[in-house]
Amino acid sequence: MSKVLVIAEHDGETLNLSTSRTVACALALGPEAVDVAVFAEAENKPAEAAARLNGVTRVLLVEHAANRNPVAAVLAPQVSALAKDYTHVLAPATTFGKDVLPRAAALLGVPQVSDIMRVLGRNVFERPIYAGNALETIETPPGIVVATVRTASFKAVAETGSAPVEKISLDFDCPTHTRFLRVEGSSGGGRPDLQSARVVVSGGRGLASKENFDLIYALADRLGAAVSASRAAVDAGFVPNDLQVGQTGKIIAPELYLAFGISGAIQHLAGIKDAGTIVAVNKDPDAPIFEVADIGLVGDLFEVLPALADALPKDKS
């Protein structure tokens, strides 16, 4: 039987939704047990939140002073130390998971599988290639399976569980060659996390300038939505690259994706293919994004955006 360890992603206060979706992938293995590891300096809210996830057998709260502001170099040896008691180690294919798990896999001496979209067997999985235009089935060699999960392909589990939280200490060599300095983010503004947001408002090169991107922010704030951008907008300097969605950016699966001035290059579509409803506004009737949009409007975004923002209540309800 499989025994799965899920590495939780959190900010010290909130458990990222990607963890719940990773648990959903773990449950698809039909495991004997699913444990969630929360790395922290001390007992915290994310551990309590992880305990409420349906299907979780127990939560392992790994306490260490170095976990106050964890970095991959510090987390990886802890993950590898825990992993020896499991058949699978899973983490979300977010910036966090993509940073930590390859290091852990290297320490364990096993390959890492990226972007699991579907579980076909204990060590057989489906993952995307060629910007999501093709799927491949892979089989891992015998031993521990270390993999990141494409969370856009799994629905979050319910939060009605009551798993026990066990505090543990690990004997590991804490690296000293890497240290935490500070966190710098540009998406801010109190908006939802891009990779777990229900609604995302996105802008492309059609916004024409950094100043015009304020129209995107204004609509997002009215909707209580996250903000994203195409690579063209990022390359033009309109927004920072942590907002980029697509093959070389973030993969998202919001319930509603609003795209303004985005042509719909194949690389961008790879990042939004799992969105529930796609609404596109572009003045070019032949823009490729209209081929995937559920609702398309051929029009001037500089007229549509202010009109939408003005029509919405300011309380984000």
Side-chain angles (χ1 to χ4, degrees):
M1 291 288 288
S2 301
K3 189 176 181 182
V4 186
L5 178 67
V6 172
I7 310 304
E9 178 176 354
H10 67 92
D11 61 3
E13 290 293 327
T14 305
L15 184 70
N16 194 289
L17 181 63
S18 62
T19 303
S20 179
R21 292 179 173 178
T22 304
V23 168
C25 176
L27 293 174
L29 287 160
E32 174 187 354
V34 175
D35 293 348
V36 176
V38 177
F39 297 93
E41 181 182 28
E43 189 169 355
N44 61 11
K45 294 178 181 178
E48 299 171 3
R52 293 193 293 270
L53 299 178
N54 278 14
V56 172
T57 307
R58 60 176 179 161
V59 175
L60 304 178
L61 178 58
V62 185
E63 297 182 324
H64 193 282
N67 291 338
R68 179 179 183 180
N69 296 299
V71 293
V74 174
L75 291 181
Q78 297 179 76
V79 172
S80 63
L82 279 178
K84 297 172 184 178
D85 295 327
Y86 296 88
T87 60
H88 298 73
V89 179
L90 304 180
T94 57
T95 302
F96 168 80
K98 291 176 180 178
D99 196 21
V100 174
L101 232 54
R103 288 174 176 263
L107 291 173
L108 290 166
V110 299
Q112 185 222 279
V113 180
S114 298
D115 285 327
I116 290 178
M117 293 183 67
R118 186 182 174 198
V119 175
L120 301 176
R122 181 190 178 283
N123 64 332
V124 182
F125 309 97
E126 190 173 85
R127 65 179 299 274
I129 56 175
Y130 301 122
N133 289 296
L135 302 178
E136 69 173 354
T137 299
I138 60 171
E139 182 174 358
T140 62
I144 299 174
V145 176
V146 178
T148 59
V149 176
R150 189 182 179 102
T151 54
S153 300
F154 295 89
K155 292 184 178 180
V157 299
E159 299 181 13
T160 56
S162 56
V165 178
E166 299 180 15
K167 297 182 181 180
I168 63 173
S169 297
L170 293 175
D171 182 17
F172 73 103
D173 293 327
C174 186
T176 57
H177 64 281
T178 302
R179 60 192 174 92
F180 173 85
L181 291 180
R182 61 184 177 274
V183 173
E184 291 187 5
S186 304
S187 52
R191 301 183 186 94
D193 174 68
L194 177 55
Q195 290 184 283
S196 60
R198 293 176 56 252
V199 180
V200 174
V201 181
S202 190
R205 184 161 41 195
L207 269 296
S209 72
K210 180 178 181 178
E211 291 70 27
N212 288 338
F213 225 87
D214 287 342
L215 294 170
I216 296 292
Y217 293 129
L219 179 59
D221 290 342
R222 290 293 181 92
L223 291 170
V227 170
S228 74
S230 66
R231 177 171 179 172
V234 171
D235 288 348
F238 300 166
V239 292
N241 59 13
D242 60 343
L243 297 184
Q244 182 178 323
V245 165
Q247 182 183 3
T248 54
K250 295 178 179 177
I251 307 297
I252 61 175
E255 295 176 16
L256 175 62
Y257 183 76
L258 302 169
F260 296 89
I262 295 177
S263 63
I266 191 171
Q267 291 85 355
H268 184 77
L269 299 182
I272 63 169
K273 63 184 297 293
D274 294 308
T277 300
I278 299 174
V279 178
V281 176
N282 198 298
K283 65 181 181 181
D284 179 6
D286 297 320
I289 197 165
F290 286 130
E291 297 178 10
V292 299
D294 299 284
I295 301 173
L297 173 63
V298 178
D300 187 340
L301 64 87
F302 294 108
E303 295 178 359
V304 176
L305 271 169
L308 279 176
D310 289 342
L312 292 169
K314 294 184 179 180
D315 61 2
K316 304 180 184 180
S317 60

